[in-house]
Amino acid sequence: MKRYSFLELAKNAFSAHQNWGRQWRSPEPKAEYDVVIVGAGGHGLATAYYLAKQHGIRNVAVIEKGWLGGGNTGRNTTIVRSNYLWEESAALYNHAIGLWQGLSQDLNYNVMYSSRGVMMLAHTVHDVQVAQRHIHANRLAGVQNEWLTPEQAREYCPPLNISKNIRYPVMGAALQRVGGTARHDAVAWGYARGADDLGVDIIQNCAVTGIKRGQDGAVEGVETSKGFIKAKKIGVVAAGHTSTVMDMAGVRMPLESYPLQALVSEPVKPAFPCVVMSNTIHAYISQSDKGELVIGAGTDQFISYSQTGGIHITNHTIDAICELFPHFRRMRMLRNWGGIVDVTPDRSPILSKTPVPGLYVNCGWGTGGFKATPGSGHVFAHTIAKDEPHRINAPFTIDRFRTGRLIDEAAAAAVAH
Amino acid sequence: MLLVYCPYCDVERAETEFSCRGQAHISRPSDPSQTSDEDWVNYLYMRANTKGVYAERWRHIHGCGRFFNAVRDTVSDKFLKFYKAGEPMPDLEALAKEAGK
């Protein structure tokens, strides 16, 4: 792999940046792999990368129906944070935060992780109580999170309207300073380049159409649009299409897939210093390095695979943004889009072995999987390599829905469900 | 935004007048003490989450308040049929064929 460096940049400047070369190969699938990962989004590519790097399993293919990073990895609002309520979640998301901090160096790829702070607003007495409970729980779990008064919140984010005369006045905020944003595409590309360099085959435009199981029930391989590929182990990381893929192996999933929308404005000069989220009135906003305001809206109320959502959902979010940040009222929105998110009953992900030997699943990230990308790939690679979960993802089994040991983050997610 | 037809009020209204309540025709185990853990899991948590033609419950919350069922294609979001609660599940494959899927 050609390492990226200041020297390379200078050298390539002389040839007008025309000779950088491809970042990864586009190989034809081999007949057999040790591990096949279904889905080349951030989580799938990270899994392949850590399988190769940390566990020495390099005979790996990542199979993708479309193009890599073209699903929810390329559609999310790029927010990184770890202030979840329960210890299990705090451990998982904090593991990711640890990896985010050194990720650009590790991958030799600038993922533009910017810990600009994530501020979650409280608008009601109940919000204040819940936010403070979160802060205390976080402090006990070693997760950084602090309480701000409305005045302190405005000091941290000057565009914020803390007038008492708005429909949902700001009564305070929880701030996680280590939270922030990262460049979503760069995360997928960086992991793809890193994995490819270690020998992983990334096979795009290749849909998985079936999962073959042997006499003993264990997986034998995947049927794809490019023919049958033998595999000793299969990891399904298919986000909104997980139910569909797992159905091929005869495994029912506790998932429902909803369209989640986001939108961006025209690019403007730096005007917004952090990430602001509001659970109660359902809005989140940050500014990309390109200058666009990146705004996240909610999910539709019905399951759908359409990758679009109702315009009233977007309107609802824009209403909230206009009230909280009045000086954005004349901004024009450029684009909006939807992604299909797979939601579990307890709003926590599933990183787990399955009843089928050799079949593993990483799904259920719902409306907030991007932030966990490095941690998710890291512990899922461990689960596949060792055939047993990492200490951190051990609680996130499918079996928890039978035992009743749910990890109820419904109230802890950034948006009201 | 979808247009939803309420079979009780006999009107078509905007989606915001309704609430979608998930997969239809899931019945609660009739004898809870005799029901296995697996059956409870299936009843409480497992959902078909079909990519394609799907039967789901809707409730006319800002109208008559009653539950009814609808068949919808989850890829195009087009409704194929509305019917009252208690009526049997229609043949989804036949509906899909009729709609040209």
Side-chain angles (χ1 to χ4, degrees):
Chain A
M1 179 173 76
K2 190 191 272 181
R3 277 189 72 78
Y4 294 153
S5 63
F6 180 72
L7 203 67
E8 277 296 316
L9 193 65
K11 224 165 71 186
N12 277 282
F14 286 108
S15 52
H17 299 291
Q18 296 299 304
N19 300 317
W20 276 104
R22 300 251 170 206
Q23 298 188 55
W24 50 81
R25 300 164 294 129
S26 292
E28 284 303 308
K30 288 193 266 182
E32 184 177 0
Y33 290 95
D34 290 339
V35 179
V36 162
I37 304 290
V38 182
H43 291 246
L45 292 164
T47 305
Y49 175 74
Y50 291 116
L51 271 174
K53 188 170 182 228
Q54 301 221 306
H55 303 283
I57 302 174
R58 296 185 173 199
N59 188 24
V60 176
V62 186
I63 299 179
E64 168 58 48
K65 184 171 67 174
W67 64 96
L68 71 84
N72 295 345
T73 301
R75 293 164 188 267
N76 64 77
T77 49
T78 77
I79 295 165
V80 175
R81 65 183 178 92
S82 68
N83 50 353
Y84 281 72
L85 180 62
W86 301 105
E87 281 175 16
E88 294 90 342
S89 326
L92 180 61
Y93 291 101
N94 234 22
H95 183 53
I97 292 270
L99 289 167
W100 275 118
Q101 287 170 338
L103 195 59
S104 292
Q105 285 74 21
D106 183 28
L107 295 176
N108 179 232
Y109 206 98
N110 188 3
V111 299
M112 297 163 81
Y113 168 56
S114 150
S115 53
R116 58 185 67 180
V118 172
M119 198 162 78
M120 295 165 81
L121 302 178
H123 303 275
T124 64
V125 172
H126 180 70
D127 273 2
V128 172
Q129 289 166 345
V130 168
Q132 295 194 343
R133 180 186 175 207
H134 267 74
I135 289 169
H136 295 315
N138 285 161
R139 205 175 51 205
L140 289 171
V143 175
Q144 190 254 322
N145 200 5
E146 65 193 87
W147 178 251
L148 301 183
T149 63
E151 290 72 25
Q152 288 169 322
R154 190 177 57 184
E155 205 171 298
Y156 195 76
C157 180
L160 182 65
N161 179 9
I162 57 166
S163 159
K164 288 196 166 38
N165 294 324
I166 60 176
R167 176 67 183 83
Y168 294 100
V170 176
M171 295 179 73
L175 172 67
Q176 188 178 34
R177 290 179 192 270
V178 72
T181 59
R183 174 81 204 282
H184 52 353
D185 293 328
V187 175
W189 298 337
Y191 274 122
R193 175 169 166 266
D196 179 84
D197 181 52
L198 294 168
V200 173
D201 284 353
I202 300 164
I203 299 154
Q204 304 181 67
N205 297 311
C206 178
V208 169
T209 52
I211 293 176
K212 196 173 168 206
R213 293 172 64 182
Q215 295 283 320
D216 56 350
V219 297
E220 290 191 334
V222 287
E223 299 284 355
T224 75
S225 52
K226 294 189 177 178
F228 180 70
I229 301 172
K230 233 174 130 182
K232 293 193 185 81
K233 294 177 176 180
I234 299 171
V236 175
V237 199
H241 281 79
T242 303
S243 298
T244 316
V245 176
M246 292 300 282
D247 195 40
M248 296 171 189
V251 180
R252 292 192 81 193
M253 296 299 292
L255 293 172
E256 291 188 291
S257 297
Y258 297 94
L260 177 69
Q261 291 183 81
L263 59 158
V264 291
S265 73
E266 57 192 338
V268 291
K269 285 183 180 175
F272 203 77
C274 58
V275 181
V276 174
M277 340 183 72
S278 167
N279 188 343
T280 303
I281 58 177
H282 212 143
Y284 40 114
I285 179 168
S286 63
Q287 188 173 18
S288 73
D289 292 303
K290 206 160 67 179
E292 304 151 321
L293 294 179
V294 182
I295 296 170
T299 56
D300 279 294
Q301 55 172 332
F302 46 82
I303 72 160
S304 174
Y305 291 83
S306 63
Q307 289 195 325
T308 58
I311 195 73
H312 62 291
I313 305 279
T314 327
N315 273 350
H316 180 65
T317 294
I318 294 290
D319 285 347
I321 298 284
C322 287
E323 185 151 278
L324 287 172
F325 308 103
H327 75 316
F328 290 150
R329 278 184 184 167
R330 294 172 66 191
M331 289 280 280
R332 282 167 295 193
M333 295 299 142
L334 273 192
R335 288 177 288 128
N336 75 325
W337 62 89
I340 305 303
V341 300
D342 44 327
V343 178
T344 58
D346 61 359
R347 267 68 183 171
S348 284
I350 297 168
L351 291 130
S352 174
K353 294 170 70 168
T354 68
V356 178
L359 184 67
Y360 307 83
V361 66
N362 178 351
C363 65
W365 290 96
T367 57
F370 175 73
K371 64 174 83 67
T373 305
S376 155
H378 189 258
V379 296
F380 193 51
H382 182 282
T383 308
I384 293 175
K386 311 274 187 209
D387 194 36
E388 62 181 24
H390 187 280
R391 172 180 54 80
I392 289 174
N393 68 314
F396 294 88
T397 58
I398 305 185
D399 203 42
R400 72 175 186 267
F401 297 99
R402 190 179 59 80
T403 61
R405 292 192 68 87
L406 303 184
I407 305 158
D408 185 9
E409 290 289 351
V415 292
H417 290 288
Chain B
M1 191 183 304
L2 307 183
L3 287 173
V4 182
Y5 171 79
C6 173
Y8 293 101
C9 301
D10 192 23
V11 292
E12 190 179 57
R13 290 282 191 270
E15 174 202 328
T16 43
E17 219 172 89
F18 299 83
S19 160
C20 182
R21 297 300 175 90
Q23 191 176 349
H25 303 289
I26 297 175
S27 53
R28 187 181 165 83
S30 52
D31 189 354
S33 62
Q34 294 301 309
T35 302
S36 70
D37 285 359
E38 298 312 318
D39 288 340
W40 275 118
V41 175
N42 277 328
Y43 164 70
L44 286 170
Y45 300 122
M46 297 298 174
R47 295 294 177 263
N49 199 23
T50 310
K51 182 175 185 177
V53 177
Y54 192 60
E56 62 194 359
R57 299 189 307 159
W58 284 79
R59 190 176 172 208
H60 197 181
I61 45 168
H62 297 299
C64 62
R66 298 182 74 171
F67 277 95
F68 57 92
N69 294 328
V71 175
R72 186 172 54 89
D73 177 2
T74 61
V75 179
S76 66
D77 288 341
K78 276 191 182 138
F79 284 107
L80 305 180
K81 190 179 171 71
F82 295 95
Y83 55 104
K84 290 177 180 169
E87 288 178 17
M89 178 154 71
D91 184 347
L92 297 184
E93 275 178 31
L95 279 173
K97 219 174 257 173
E98 214 173 286
K101 290 283 156 189

